[in-house]
Amino acid sequence: MSNKSLRILIADEQHFHRLRIERWFNQLGYYGVAPVQSLEELLILVEYASEPFDLLVVDAALADGKLDLLDLCLDNRQLDHVLIYNGAQAGLSPIPACEKQGVQVSHASLPDLASIQRLMAVVDPRLPFVGTVISVR
């Protein structure tokens, strides 16, 4: 059973991408999802959040060279876990999931349902479907 109290933040300029990722989280039982479309919105939410976000899923292109997204994520106590996707766009090297760092960098242009499931196995280890892929219709 998924932890319904998890706070998930999705940051991508593309409305369709935010909706698709949010729908995958919803299919897995996560509904505490906040989508944002700009770097400014992301920084405001992270800066002024009363509680840390359990997970940030962010398109590396969102930073567009304005700030070092990886450093922001590694040094921020308001972000427990982070998936930066489209990392090649920002020149980031892939970093596999690591519990100690809490930051994963992927070169995929958009995470798919299977990668979200693997990520959630680290973020929410109480999941019953670890290792099982749910089909999308």
Side-chain angles (χ1 to χ4, degrees):
M1 182 171 187
S2 62
N3 181 351
K4 297 190 186 305
S5 67
L6 289 181
R7 296 169 38 120
I8 300 168
L9 184 58
I10 300 170
D12 192 310
E13 289 179 330
Q14 300 293 321
H15 179 71
F16 177 73
H17 291 175
R18 292 189 311 269
L19 283 175
R20 176 176 256 181
I21 295 168
E22 183 175 3
R23 184 171 27 136
W24 287 328
F25 279 111
N26 293 164
Q27 286 178 359
L28 297 174
Y30 300 99
Y31 299 98
V33 179
V36 297
Q37 67 181 359
S38 70
L39 181 62
E40 293 77 21
E41 289 177 331
L42 171 63
L43 293 174
I44 289 169
L45 279 176
V46 170
E47 178 74 22
Y48 296 107
S50 60
E51 295 178 31
F53 285 94
D54 297 292
L55 175 62
L56 166 64
V57 178
V58 59
D59 182 356
L62 191 71
D64 195 28
K66 296 175 189 165
L67 102 141
D68 187 331
L69 191 57
L70 187 57
D71 279 349
L72 170 76
C73 296
L74 286 171
D75 295 334
N76 199 311
R77 295 181 186 262
Q78 290 291 81
L79 302 170
D80 292 340
H81 298 278
V82 178
L83 169 61
I84 301 172
Y85 61 92
N86 201 14
Q89 175 96 11
L92 299 174
S93 298
I95 300 173
C98 174
E99 286 188 47
K100 185 178 178 190
Q101 281 183 193
V103 176
Q104 177 182 355
V105 176
S106 168
H107 279 191
S109 59
L110 188 68
D112 59 11
L113 181 60
S115 64
I116 296 288
Q117 283 183 298
R118 285 190 301 274
L119 176 65
M120 294 314 293
V122 173
V123 175
D124 187 7
R126 299 183 305 168
L127 292 177
F129 52 78
V130 174
T132 304
V133 177
I134 297 173
S135 64
V136 180
R137 294 182 186 237

